[in-house]
Amino acid sequence: MADFPLAVNVQGDYGYKVVVVDSHCTIDEVIKTAVDQIVSVLVAPFPEEAVLRARVHGATRPLDGSLTVREAGFIQMEALQIYVEE
């Protein structure tokens, strides 16, 4: 059961949205969950070859995709940015 809210901004969106995930989800799963809920609804689809990454708001480095929410030590409503890696 999803029980951990995160504030997520997907590249191209105007603001943050609340996405609820399980604390054992990986960052890659968080990205997939957010993209499934937001892309094609609020932002245009990304190219198929696009590689999406996530980082904590204000950070310069992406999070390791295999890191879990629990391992990352996030607090509820942690702000994450999801973006296309260039």
Side-chain angles (χ1 to χ4, degrees):
M1 178 175 151
D3 61 357
F4 201 92
L6 296 170
V8 177
N9 177 259
V10 175
Q11 182 175 321
D13 198 357
Y14 63 89
Y16 285 82
K17 307 293 184 276
V18 176
V19 174
V20 182
V21 297
D22 291 316
S23 58
H24 67 272
C25 285
T26 65
I27 298 304
D28 285 342
E29 292 169 328
V30 170
I31 292 169
K32 181 176 179 348
T33 299
V35 166
D36 286 350
Q37 292 180 22
I38 296 168
V39 171
S40 294
V41 176
L42 299 168
V43 298
F46 296 109
E48 284 188 36
E49 67 277 2
V51 176
L52 298 175
R53 299 281 185 233
R55 64 179 167 231
V56 174
H57 176 74
T60 56
R61 291 189 191 177
L63 294 161
D64 180 341
S66 64
L67 187 69
T68 67
V69 170
R70 179 172 291 152
E71 291 167 343
F74 292 154
I75 59 171
Q76 290 192 10
M77 296 301 291
E78 187 85 46
L80 300 180
Q81 297 173 316
I82 297 174
Y83 61 96
V84 176
E85 181 178 67
E86 296 187 28

